[in-house]
């Protein structure tokens, strides 16, 4: 079996390497536009989409309340959004593999435009729920990851993917502040108009600045795997050596702290006693922290350490984060714990995405990135219920103890297991 797995891994590596070198080597596919410029455009699109998304998240509770939606109904609204993103992630990835990254990013930006258009004309609660539907294809971050994966060598990929954390940090800081300022000065619906115009601009950027390029697909892949909605083809990727193990580690390691973050708006009020303005400052601090960690720390470590080492390190630090959350008592304690928390989150996301996209043929990277993008929506879908029970029955410390227990178990598993990784680091 191991010989067959090694052969399959070698074959997949050879296929992926051949396809990727074709994409990178044939300059005619990119015309006069350089690879670096295309990657910059991907960063720009991701930053704008995340900015408008966080702007929407900031004003959504007030918009829902203005239409008469209570806290329970708002929970259902958030769950609807999470389920749509969960279902849409792998489908969006398959779409990117079949029709190209440019078409996928245009679809994402156009869906964002429809999302904000429906929000801007929502005059009733049913229409507000209806406005969630376009979220199924709003996946600008996986789209940008797909661009970077296609246009970088395996040794450059972790560093390039890590820089997307800067986009995320900028989106948190600007989006959160923008939503509050615009809704206060110009009315609760004004941010939706800004989001609509911004996503239309983003759509034009994707259409004009992203080049048409041949997708690295073999004829076998095109003829046999042409159904975008095929769950069998999505699950097929989990059979590649090491993929299922790494994906399970990715899901389980951050799940407990993900529950804590979902409940954080309530925890910040009840446990820390923060006002809305102070919570905004804390979110800005977390955004800046993520930018620093992702932009300065993650990239340097990926250049000097192997992926196996960084995977174990991030899990070990995550276990320490759990202990810190269990013992914290004040918001200042949380500000300290947030440093290793952001490091673990950023490193784990970057390394697992890198490992998983290397383990499969390059013609399937969009699907794999879509599957990875479904991890957070999964937490958002089941998180409010589980997190609410934990918080009400056992308190804030329960999130920390669960985080510590899960990650200590994963760390021991990673030390003892022989997950096949294609070890590589930048020179």
């Amino acid at each position: 079996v191991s010989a067959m797995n090694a052969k399959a891994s070698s074959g997949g590596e050879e296929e992926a390497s051949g396809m990727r070198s074709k994409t990178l080597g044939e300059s005619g596919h990119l015309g006069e536009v350089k690879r670096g410029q295309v990657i910059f455009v991907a960063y720009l699109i991701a930053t704008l989409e995340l900015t408008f998304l966080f702007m929407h998240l900031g004003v959504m509770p007030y918009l829902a309340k203005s239409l008469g939606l209570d806290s329970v109904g708002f929970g259902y609204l958030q769950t609807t959004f999470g389920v749509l993103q969960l279902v849409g992630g792998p489908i969006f990835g398959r779409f990117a593999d079949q029709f190209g990254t440019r078409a996928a990013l245009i679809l994402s930006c156009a869906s964002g435009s429809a999302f904000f258009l429906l929000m801007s004309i929502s005059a009733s609660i049913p229409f507000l729920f209806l406005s969630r539907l376009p979220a199924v294809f709003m996946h600008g971050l996986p789209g940008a990851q797909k661009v970077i994966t296609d246009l970088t060598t395996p040794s450059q990929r972790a560093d390039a993917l890590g820089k997307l954390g800067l986009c995320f940090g900028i989106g948190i800081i600007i989006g959160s502040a923008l939503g509050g300022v615009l809704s206060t000065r110009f009315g609760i619906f004004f941010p939706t108009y800004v989001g609509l115009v911004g996503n239309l601009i983003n759509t034009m950027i994707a259409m004009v600045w992203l080049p048409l390029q041949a997708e690295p697909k073999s004829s076998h892949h095109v003829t046999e795997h042409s159904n975008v909605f095929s769950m069998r083809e999505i699950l097929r990727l989990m059979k590649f050596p090491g993929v299922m193990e790494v994906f399970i580690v990715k899901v389980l390691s951050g799940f407990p702290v993900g529950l804590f973050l979902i409940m954080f708006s309530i925890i910040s009020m009840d446990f820390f006693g923060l006002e809305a303005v102070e919570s905004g400052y804390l979110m800005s601090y977390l955004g800046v922290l993520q930018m620093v960690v992702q932009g300065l720390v993650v990239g340097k470590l990926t250049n000097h350490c192997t992926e196996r080492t960084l995977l174990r390190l991030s899990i070990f630090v995550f276990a320490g984060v759990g202990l810190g959350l269990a013992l914290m008592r004040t918001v200042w304690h949380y500000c300290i714990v947030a440093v290793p928390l952001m490091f673990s989150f950023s490193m784990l996301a970057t390394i697992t995405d890198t490992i998983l996209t290397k383990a499969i043929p390059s013609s399937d990277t969009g699907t794999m990135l879509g599957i990875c993008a479904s991890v957070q929506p999964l937490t958002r879908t089941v998180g409010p219920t589980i997190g609410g029970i934990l918080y009400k029955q056992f308190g804030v410390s329960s999130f920390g103890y669960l985080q510590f227990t899960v990650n200590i178990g994963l760390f021991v598993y990673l030390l003892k297991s022989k997950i096949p990784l294609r070890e590589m680091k930048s020179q």
Side-chain angles (χ1 to χ4, degrees), residues 207-258:
M207 293 175 67
V208 174
W209 286 357
L210 287 179
L212 283 167
Q213 64 185 86
E215 290 302 304
K217 296 188 289 191
S218 65
S219 58
H220 171 79
H221 188 87
V222 174
T223 56
E224 197 165 313
H225 310 313
S226 57
N227 186 1
V228 172
F229 298 95
S230 173
M231 284 303 298
R232 183 175 62 85
E233 292 308 319
I234 291 171
L235 295 175
R236 173 181 60 89
L237 300 183
M238 292 297 169
K239 298 178 182 178
F240 282 89
V243 170
M244 180 64 79
E245 294 93 328
V246 173
F247 185 74
I248 290 174
V249 169
K250 181 183 182 73
V251 173
L252 293 181
S253 60
F255 186 73
V257 79

Side-chain angles (χ1 to χ4, degrees), residues 292-323:
V292 172
V293 169
Q294 195 92 51
L296 301 179
V297 180
V298 172
K300 291 185 182 299
L301 286 178
T302 55
N303 288 335
H304 295 92
C305 303
T306 63
E307 288 152 5
R308 190 183 301 274
T309 300
L310 293 176
L311 183 61
R312 289 171 176 170
L313 174 63
S314 58
I315 295 298
F316 182 74
V317 175
F318 241 159
V321 167
L323 204 56

Side-chain angles (χ1 to χ4, degrees), residues 143-154:
Q145 289 174 323
K146 168 72 171 162
V147 172
I148 292 166
T149 302
D150 285 346
L151 297 181
T152 55
T153 60

Side-chain angles (χ1 to χ4, degrees), residues 47-87:
T47 301
L48 289 174
E49 182 158 319
L50 287 166
T51 298
F52 300 131
L53 181 62
F54 280 106
M55 180 184 69
H56 141 263
L57 292 175
V59 301
M60 198 62 215
Y62 305 98
L63 178 58
K65 187 177 180 180
S66 70
L67 295 176
L69 194 65
D70 60 14
S71 58
V72 176
F74 183 70
Y76 291 144
L77 188 69
Q78 294 294 81
T79 300
T80 301
F81 185 82
V83 169
L84 288 169
Q85 289 255 293
L86 174 64
V87 172

